[in-house]
Amino acid sequence: TTTTTSTTPPLHRSTAHRPRRPQPEWVMAIAQNVKSVVIQIPATAATPFLDWSIAALNDNNTAEVHSVSWGTPEYEYDDEVGVDRLNTELVKFGVRGVSTLFASGDDGTGCYGAKYMPNYPASSPYTTAVGGVYIPLFSEDLAIEADEISGGGFAVAPGNNRTQAPWQEDVVSAYQRSVASGSSKLYTASGRGLPDVAAFDSAYNIIQNGENQKVDGTSAACPVWAGIVALLNDQRMAAGLPTMGFMNPFLSVGINNNFPPTQDLHRPDVPTVPTNHTSYSLTDEDAAFTDITTGANNVESCGPVRRNAGALPPLHDPSYASPHRPTQPPQGFYATAGWDAATGLGTPLFGGLQTAAMASAAN
């Protein structure tokens, strides 16, 4: 059987996004009967991400899926520890066939020095970043849109450059050429693009201290995806196949080209994605994602940024308001067809993901 791990932050640490404690239950709600382990980082930890990764990698029975719902602005981690050090550990997870997923954060584009700045470790090329979507309050057609809090954009640290993520070069470059990405003066165009994927992140019902409450954030979206990966692992392991492991090449390129999700293919130290596989394009019935094409994340943390959005929606649209977001702040990256820096490739459709993940079983 497959195993999932949920990691929560030190209680004292000021993080870019702080999860509610029920997030492990969201993993278990999706991947029912899959063994789940919860890791709480001690409040005294000086290097919590390294502590988690080293301990997990030293465990011969480490979980096949790790869901981490916290992070910090990329510049902060790079100054304190350096992204290259943790990236090395994240590479090791992929080599071992372990999937790591990080919430992309709840600060939209993020900000540092009047430019957009994403959260880390979600901005690492060697992990899967999960953004958020929601249904705006008073929506007439209940259309799913990019959530304005969804962390997304382009990595700034040189160690997170897109040369380390060649599988996404085509889709990210295409997005940066579109009006939906805005002015390249506001972001680092050479950076790894995030999020990779998204899931619903709004109004999750929980019971806390005996009371019904609603919580939201990408901290909820990430464990949803982790549960889905755990289910895919179960299917693959039952067929004698390797676990999903490092998923980004499979998600960005492999699904439409029949690249099987195997450890060898998903080793992050392999600089290119193989292209000698039979074409395997999913039909509409077997689509792996719902492509989110409306909405945008915000630049609230970067102050009153304004840009010419061409034919894009107005910067202030009352349809985006909701109880936890009473007004819509200025917009950063717009959702559009294909990959975008607000929702990634879109939200999961399990049937299509399963079909693609199991395709190599028939070969």
Side-chain angles (χ1 to χ4, degrees):
T1 58
T2 190
T3 307
T4 63
T5 292
S6 301
T7 305
T8 56
L11 296 179
H12 80 288
R13 191 173 178 85
S14 176
T15 57
H17 51 98
R18 186 177 300 281
R20 305 301 201 276
R21 292 297 174 264
Q23 55 132 340
E25 281 86 338
W26 296 326
V27 175
M28 293 183 284
I30 300 296
Q32 297 183 27
N33 300 319
V34 169
K35 181 181 178 182
S36 186
V37 179
V38 180
I39 297 175
Q40 174 69 57
I41 302 299
T44 55
T47 55
F49 290 115
L50 279 176
D51 292 355
W52 153 74
S53 60
I54 292 172
L57 289 166
N58 284 336
D59 182 356
N60 291 332
N61 297 312
T62 194
E64 291 88 357
V65 183
H66 285 254
S67 173
V68 187
S69 283
W70 55 297
T72 190
E74 192 180 50
Y75 78 90
E76 185 176 288
Y77 194 89
D78 206 24
D79 288 345
E80 292 180 359
V81 182
V83 301
D84 291 343
R85 179 65 186 89
L86 183 60
N87 280 351
T88 299
E89 302 305 314
L90 294 174
V91 166
K92 295 176 184 177
F93 280 108
V95 171
R96 286 186 58 176
V98 174
S99 303
T100 61
L101 299 92
F102 280 80
S104 67
D106 299 346
D107 296 317
T109 64
C111 186
Y112 181 69
K115 291 188 69 173
Y116 300 156
M117 170 72 68
N119 282 338
Y120 183 82
S123 63
S124 169
Y126 309 115
T127 192
T128 301
V130 182
V133 301
Y134 80 125
I135 299 174
L137 193 66
F138 308 125
S139 170
E140 293 183 359
D141 56 3
L142 300 181
I144 300 174
E145 300 184 357
D147 195 336
E148 61 263 32
I149 68 172
S150 179
F154 306 95
V156 176
N160 294 333
N161 191 279
R162 201 161 61 255
T163 57
Q164 305 302 315
W167 44 84
Q168 68 168 196
E169 177 60 39
D170 289 347
V171 294
V172 171
S173 294
Y175 180 74
Q176 290 180 345
R177 291 192 298 269
S178 73
V179 67
S181 67
S183 171
S184 61
K185 295 179 180 179
L186 295 173
Y187 59 84
T188 303
S190 60
R192 169 267 211 277
L194 69 149
D196 298 292
V197 291
F200 199 75
D201 72 355
S202 180
Y204 279 69
N205 291 305
I206 68 168
I207 298 177
Q208 186 165 310
N209 297 327
E211 297 182 358
N212 292 322
Q213 299 184 24
K214 292 184 182 296
V215 297
D216 45 29
T218 57
S219 294
C222 185
V224 168
W225 257 98
I228 288 172
V229 177
L231 293 177
L232 296 176
N233 279 344
D234 256 2
Q235 294 289 313
R236 288 181 56 81
M237 293 168 74
L241 299 171
T243 53
M244 294 294 292
F246 178 59
M247 298 188 300
N248 292 2
F250 170 72
L251 295 172
S252 293
V253 182
I255 281 179
N256 288 320
N257 294 277
N258 198 24
F259 298 161
T262 65
Q263 279 185 250
D264 288 342
L265 174 62
H266 287 79
R267 285 177 53 191
D269 55 337
V270 176
T272 58
V273 177
T275 57
N276 59 342
H277 292 269
T278 304
S279 176
Y280 182 81
S281 297
L282 295 176
T283 65
D284 289 342
E285 291 77 12
D286 284 332
F289 306 102
T290 296
D291 189 8
I292 309 302
T293 59
T294 56
N297 59 11
N298 68 46
V299 297
E300 187 173 22
S301 60
C302 235
V305 177
R306 293 291 186 272
R307 63 178 174 79
N308 179 9
L312 292 172
L315 289 174
H316 292 277
D317 182 342
S319 69
Y320 283 84
S322 67
H324 61 288
R325 309 174 187 91
T327 60
Q328 182 212 4
Q331 298 301 284
F333 296 109
Y334 279 80
T336 189
W339 183 91
D340 58 71
T343 66
L345 295 166
T347 57
L349 292 173
F350 183 78
L353 288 169
Q354 182 182 35
T355 298
M358 297 301 295
S360 58
N363 295 335

